Amino acid sequence: MTASTIILATSETADSADYSQLALLTIFILSVFLGFEVISKVSAILHTPLMSGANAIHGIVLVGAILVTANATTAVEIVIGTLAIVLAAINLVGGFVVTDRMLEMFKSKPGEGDKK
Amino acid sequence: MSETPLWVQLANLLAAVLFILTLKGLSHPRTARRGVMLGALGAAIATVVVFFSGIPYKNLLIILIALVVGSVIGWIAAKRVAMTQMPQMVALFNGVGGGAAALVSIIEYLESGGENRAFLVATVFTVVIGSVSFSGSIVTFLKLQELITTRPVVLPGGKYITILVAAATVAAAVWLVIAPATWLLVTLLALALLFGILFVLPVGGADVPIVISLLNAFTGLSVAAGGYVLGNVLLIVAGTLVGASGTLLTKLMAEAMGRPLTGTLFGAFNASATAAGGPDGDRPVKSGSAQDVAIMLGYANKVILVPGYGLAVAQAQGTLRELAEELEAKGIEVDYAIHPVAGRMPGHMNVLLAEANVPYEQLKEMEEVNPEFADTDVALVVGANDVVNPAAKTDTSAPIYGMPILDVNNAKQVVFLKRSMRPGFAGITNELLYDPKTTLLFGDAKASLTDVVTAVKEV
């Protein structure tokens, strides 16, 4: 069911049918609940790495930057698009690397203290 | 645009699932690292398959160059940054992400001419929120890097300027949806950037990490709206996940610090000069030498170490651990008291001490350690200030009022290792410094600790 929803939703045309708009809205609403649910039991010591990890995930706007730049027609658009790709890539790559570095500090505790 | 192949769409679905697993994994210490790996994998998959999604290849070379340049910058910045400066690095990464989302929507607007009302609304949303996140994060970065003052900045009439700019931003946004024009979009962009700056400037002290988290959620939402404009489901899912989880995380953080979230959110609107400096400077304090401190510590039965940001800045975590080991060798009970926002962010100090190989079991969280101060002989505060400031409990006018603190003042003796009498990040005086049972040892945390360790060995 989800797969078919997504296929309908990604039919790219800007004048897409109402159903596609509705599918996008559905995905949006469900994602809101999922976002709340998935981190609801996080322990305080992981607040910073979690924020940093979430920060890395929204770097996926890189995909959007690549899409619009590939379809860009004027010089101005290409320049803006290139800048967007650079910024998004910094966010995506830097975000994941810095999160991993934070978590690296927690590993290799010989005692392997289960939970705080 | 041409049709996206089915396998590309399935790959995007896989990436979306991997992002969900990333957040899930990051909620538990044991699965956190694996979660980040999965997220990076998802990001890599999505970035590769987008080139097979039927896009025209005319700008391919410049796209690939930009991709490599950005990745290298991000990689190097993330690898080079000192752990102490990590919060501002996260702020910066968040800001550029928000900026990228705004730019993406601007290009899409220029391409499509904004004929579709629903997309126009989403475009305006992305531009506004993305820009606020961008400029707000830059100001946060400057504050944490201490390139500008860390105190709340209150401009004369700042409240009215902020309200005016906010109103102008909304007006421009509405106007743009009704009558799309490029100059209006540029105006909106400028107004939103300005609002981002005004929004963050009055925030100071303990509220800064909360703002970073909030702006993180903002960027997520702007990415989701950008995904809607582009009809890209992956962006919608990823952006919304971050927006929702980021909002919840902001709330959790605010609760952990005892800060009312509305105070942070609307600080810009009701900023009444709270920079209560108070008359200080020439009041008497008791300062001692490293030997004095060593004697106090050496004859104690129980010592609690309270590490703060100053410790991290001086890179003295290792020396502090040495001191702890030295004291334990003398049969003294030693614990570390970790305030939830010790350092600059929740969990920051845990990361810094783990880096210095301090045993995990000795790190005690605030609720656990607070009752223990009463039968503690010496509380040694190294480079911390706001998190032990009793004003948070007693002074309703203090900017940190209501923030839970470590009850260091209950210990029989208190020792502060401080660089100077300069107030902490929140910019308020700490009465505890003038308490008769408090001894101050001035100097760089690392140098002072090294002296104390040497002196303890001789006690």
Side-chain angles (χ1 to χ4, degrees):
Chain A
M1 160 278 230
T2 321
S4 64
T5 318
I6 287 174
I7 291 158
L8 280 164
T10 33
S11 46
E12 288 284 12
T13 44
D15 43 34
S16 44
D18 281 337
Y19 187 74
S20 178
Q21 301 271 336
L22 190 65
L24 294 178
L25 186 66
T26 309
I27 292 167
F28 171 73
I29 301 287
L30 292 182
S31 300
V32 170
F33 281 92
L34 192 56
F36 274 117
E37 207 51 48
V38 83
I39 68 140
S40 57
K41 285 189 273 302
V42 61
S43 75
I45 59 159
L46 283 171
H47 280 176
T48 300
L50 180 62
M51 187 211 296
S52 182
N55 177 31
I57 289 176
H58 65 51
I60 201 61
V61 69
L62 175 64
V63 168
I66 292 173
L67 281 174
V68 292
T69 311
N71 289 292
T73 43
T74 69
V76 176
E77 288 170 21
I78 293 173
V79 170
I80 300 175
T82 308
L83 183 59
I85 294 175
V86 172
L87 294 181
I90 293 175
N91 182 189
L92 188 69
V93 175
F96 278 114
V97 172
V98 88
T99 311
D100 188 58
R101 273 192 65 199
M102 273 178 222
L103 294 169
E104 209 177 333
M105 306 302 168
F106 286 111
K107 65 139 198 230
S108 76
K109 287 279 154 296
E112 169 57 30
D114 41 341
K115 241 223 114 197
K116 272 238 67 181
Chain B
M1 287 185 207
S2 50
E3 199 61 34
T4 311
L6 178 63
W7 72 271
V8 170
Q9 300 193 25
L10 289 175
N12 277 335
L13 177 61
L14 175 64
V17 171
L18 287 170
F19 287 153
I20 296 167
L21 293 175
T22 306
L23 290 177
K24 184 88 189 142
L26 275 167
S27 308
H28 302 282
R30 236 173 286 109
T31 53
R33 267 201 114 186
R34 193 179 60 209
V36 173
M37 289 300 160
L38 293 178
L41 179 67
I45 291 174
T47 309
V48 170
V49 301
V50 70
F51 289 100
F52 302 96
S53 59
I55 56 170
Y57 289 119
K58 54 184 165 33
N59 302 325
L60 190 62
L61 186 63
I62 192 159
I63 290 175
L64 289 175
I65 292 173
L67 188 58
V68 171
V69 168
S71 303
V72 169
I73 295 174
W75 181 281
I76 293 176
K79 280 286 182 194
R80 287 254 177 98
V81 64
M83 271 294 142
T84 45
Q85 297 181 330
M86 185 224 14
Q88 48 268 53
M89 193 42 93
V90 174
L92 208 54
F93 287 152
N94 177 49
V96 296
L103 294 179
V104 166
S105 284
I106 289 173
I107 301 171
E108 190 58 22
Y109 169 84
L110 294 175
E111 269 292 295
S112 68
E115 75 282 9
N116 183 315
R117 191 59 50 85
F119 287 158
L120 210 47
V121 172
T123 302
V124 166
F125 181 84
T126 316
V127 170
V128 171
I129 302 295
S131 307
V132 167
S133 185
F134 177 75
S135 60
S137 297
I138 301 292
V139 175
T140 316
F141 168 80
L142 295 174
K143 272 176 182 273
L144 288 168
Q145 194 71 25
E146 304 196 355
L147 292 172
I148 58 174
T149 176
T150 57
R151 298 190 185 195
V153 175
V154 182
L155 304 167
K159 181 176 163 182
Y160 302 103
I161 298 174
T162 309
I163 292 173
L164 204 67
V165 172
T169 309
V170 173
V174 173
W175 192 0
L176 185 61
V177 173
I178 297 168
T182 305
W183 70 267
L184 247 175
L185 188 67
V186 175
T187 311
L188 182 68
L189 182 69
L191 283 169
L193 287 171
L194 182 59
F195 179 70
I197 296 170
L198 294 171
F199 178 66
V200 178
L201 269 183
V203 177
D207 288 336
V208 172
I210 302 178
V211 165
I212 298 181
S213 179
L214 184 70
L215 293 176
N216 188 37
F218 276 12
T219 303
L221 288 178
S222 69
V223 169
Y228 176 70
V229 175
L230 296 177
N232 186 300
V233 174
L234 179 62
L235 293 196
I236 297 181
V237 173
T240 312
L241 276 178
V242 176
S245 61
T247 306
L248 180 61
L249 184 60
T250 308
K251 189 169 157 281
L252 291 176
M253 273 186 170
E255 278 167 8
M257 301 182 203
R259 312 291 301 159
L261 193 51
T262 48
T264 310
L265 287 181
F266 303 110
F269 296 109
N270 45 34
S272 56
T274 44
D280 53 312
D282 41 316
R283 285 166 62 193
V285 293
K286 188 169 78 183
S287 69
S289 67
Q291 278 73 22
D292 298 334
V293 174
I295 289 167
M296 287 164 66
L297 292 172
Y299 291 100
N301 289 317
K302 182 171 172 147
V303 172
I304 294 184
L305 306 173
V306 183
Y309 188 69
L311 173 89
V313 169
Q315 289 293 316
Q317 302 97 304
T319 321
L320 185 66
R321 194 202 66 219
E322 236 181 279
L323 177 65
E325 284 167 0
E326 206 61 52
L327 293 173
E328 284 183 315
K330 290 181 182 293
I332 301 163
E333 193 187 338
V334 182
D335 283 314
Y336 295 80
I338 311 295
H339 189 274
V341 284
R344 285 285 154 87
M345 269 194 190
H348 192 192
M349 189 51 69
N350 301 67
V351 173
L352 295 170
L353 290 177
E355 192 184 12
N357 289 319
V358 170
Y360 207 50
E361 311 78 60
Q362 285 187 347
L363 306 183
K364 294 202 171 169
E365 285 185 24
M366 188 170 58
E367 307 82 51
E368 192 187 347
V369 81
N370 264 346
E372 294 188 22
F373 279 109
D375 51 42
T376 296
D377 300 295
V378 185
L380 180 67
V381 184
V382 188
N385 193 354
D386 297 331
V387 297
V388 298
N389 192 341
K393 283 189 171 162
T394 53
D395 182 2
T396 47
S397 71
I400 58 166
Y401 181 73
M403 179 173 84
I405 57 160
L406 291 164
D407 298 327
V408 169
N409 49 331
N410 291 345
K412 294 189 186 88
Q413 286 178 300
V414 182
V415 177
F416 275 89
L417 300 192
K418 276 181 76 65
R419 255 208 311 255
S420 64
M421 285 302 285
R422 216 166 67 98
F425 194 63
I428 42 172
T429 313
N430 189 345
E431 281 303 318
L432 192 55
L433 296 174
Y434 306 99
D435 196 287
K437 69 180 173 191
T438 299
T439 307
L440 287 105
L441 176 55
F442 288 111
D444 171 73
K446 188 163 192 171
S448 300
L449 276 174
T450 311
D451 291 346
V452 173
V453 171
T454 317
V456 162
K457 282 181 185 163
E458 290 161 5
V459 169

